[in-house]
Amino acid sequence: MKFTQEQLEQYHDLGYVIVDCPFPESLTEACMAAVEGAARDPSEGPADGSKRNHFRLRPQVEDSYWCSLDHSLPFLKIILHPEIVELARQLNGESDIYLRNGGINEQAPDRSVGWHIDGGPGWAEFMHYFSGASRQNGCLRIVPGSHNGPPDSLQERAARLRDERGIPGSPADDGWEDIPLEEEISLEVEPHQLIVRHSRLFHATWLNRTKAGRYMSHWLFHPHTIDNHRFTWGDYLTPELLDTLSPEQREVLWLKRDFDIDPAYDRERSRELGRVKWGVV
């Protein structure tokens, strides 16, 4: 599968595109089944701390981004699906790419994410809301085209409107949702759809007003020219999981290539190496 010319133009002009999942529905169902198998009482397990990334899927290590499922087999079957890798190669403009990381964002009830950009040189992020995403449960809010210019004016206007309305401005707030912007749109999607968005797109979420967590798996690939490695995958994926992957899937994990971990992740790696693992579930 490849993006059409129209889809590519939308991505470059507006900073996002929504496509149907190029993989069987059964893979999405397996992700939800894995969630139900791993879910715990939100008061149990290691504390989420400042990450605020978990609800029923508790972190493996206190104040960590990672639960037991982020790169487990049900999710890697999607992240490394041949059609997904082909789309990533098309967006990167080359075949020599690597998986930087994936991850599960579980937006808890009564929680939102405020307006921000993710930064970086402008890579593409794949977002699979495998539980579905609506305005009611905290779907993505974006300002189309905002990736094409400096974000200062939007950030300043958002800050001014927050001050005027007495709304907190932290990246994730309990019981609040960030101010509306007249240019924004909401990206409501079904489990069979993928959002692919530019990392510098100005974005937020609506407040999750339901009693359940809203689940999203997101991931990104980099071309070999971007030295931004987060993992040596052989240290984090179990041998049993690696044995299930095809040679083509293993290729984008760079299992047999030498590279340095980006210094930005040195502290994370030193704290979590040997304590964070993903396998067959």
Side-chain angles (χ1 to χ4, degrees):
M1 175 181 177
K2 289 193 174 183
F3 293 108
T4 65
Q5 186 59 37
E6 182 180 8
Q7 289 170 333
L8 286 175
E9 289 175 359
Q10 178 180 325
Y11 174 80
H12 291 300
D13 292 344
L14 301 182
Y16 81 98
V17 66
I18 298 174
V19 298
D20 287 339
C21 294
F23 46 79
E25 183 180 352
S26 59
L27 295 187
T28 301
E29 293 171 347
C31 289
M32 283 303 302
V35 166
E36 291 309 312
R40 302 168 67 176
D41 187 291
S43 64
E44 296 179 1
D48 199 13
S50 62
K51 306 306 181 190
R52 304 169 70 92
N53 200 40
H54 309 88
F55 177 49
R56 294 196 305 153
L57 296 178
R58 308 308 298 161
Q60 291 193 50
V61 178
E62 186 171 345
D63 197 22
S64 170
Y65 286 107
W66 315 115
C67 70
S68 63
L69 296 181
D70 299 281
H71 304 102
S72 64
L73 185 59
F75 292 89
L76 278 188
K77 282 184 176 180
I78 289 176
I79 294 169
L80 300 180
H81 191 278
E83 303 283 5
I84 295 293
V85 174
E86 184 176 20
L87 291 175
R89 285 178 166 143
Q90 184 186 11
L91 284 177
N92 281 288
E94 60 176 270
S95 61
D96 190 8
I97 63 174
Y98 63 90
L99 176 66
R100 208 275 308 262
N101 69 271
I104 298 171
N105 174 271
E106 183 185 10
Q107 186 159 300
D110 207 32
R111 183 171 291 176
S112 69
V113 177
W115 288 109
H116 68 288
I117 62 171
D118 291 342
W123 45 68
E125 180 176 352
F126 290 78
M127 309 178 78
H128 182 209
Y129 288 83
F130 58 96
S131 65
S134 65
R135 182 161 174 165
Q136 183 69 13
N137 74 357
C139 73
L140 191 66
R141 308 161 61 186
I142 67 164
V143 176
S146 54
H147 65 301
N148 285 320
D152 296 358
S153 60
L154 285 169
Q155 291 172 331
E156 290 168 1
R157 178 148 51 95
R160 185 181 71 252
L161 291 171
R162 289 188 198 106
D163 288 342
E164 292 174 356
R165 303 182 189 191
I167 295 175
S170 63
D173 297 305
D174 291 332
W176 297 86
E177 63 189 7
D178 215 337
I179 46 90
L181 298 174
E182 61 183 38
E183 309 98 321
E184 74 171 276
I185 63 173
S186 300
L187 299 187
E188 297 184 288
V189 289
E190 299 294 331
H192 69 274
Q193 295 176 302
L194 284 177
I195 299 172
V196 184
R197 70 162 181 86
H198 196 284
S199 65
R200 297 193 65 82
L201 198 65
F202 203 53
H203 65 285
T205 75
W206 294 109
L207 187 71
N208 183 359
R209 301 180 185 277
T210 72
K211 295 181 179 180
R214 190 270 290 132
Y215 296 98
M216 182 263 289
S217 173
H218 58 121
W219 61 91
L220 54 94
F221 294 90
H222 284 331
H224 73 280
T225 52
I226 295 181
D227 190 13
N228 184 228
H229 296 272
R230 192 167 190 165
F231 296 113
T232 49
W233 288 104
D235 293 327
Y236 290 82
L237 305 180
T238 66
E240 182 184 15
L241 187 157
L242 290 171
D243 285 344
T244 70
L245 302 180
S246 69
E248 292 76 19
Q249 290 173 316
R250 294 165 65 93
E251 180 182 356
V252 294
L253 297 180
W254 283 25
L255 295 171
K256 296 183 178 181
R257 295 172 69 164
D258 293 327
F259 54 86
D260 293 325
I261 295 297
D262 189 310
Y265 305 114
D266 282 348
R267 183 176 179 183
E268 174 183 275
R269 179 177 171 85
S270 65
R271 190 167 65 92
E272 297 176 349
L273 187 62
R275 303 177 67 197
V276 170
K277 287 281 188 178
W278 293 286
V280 176
V281 296

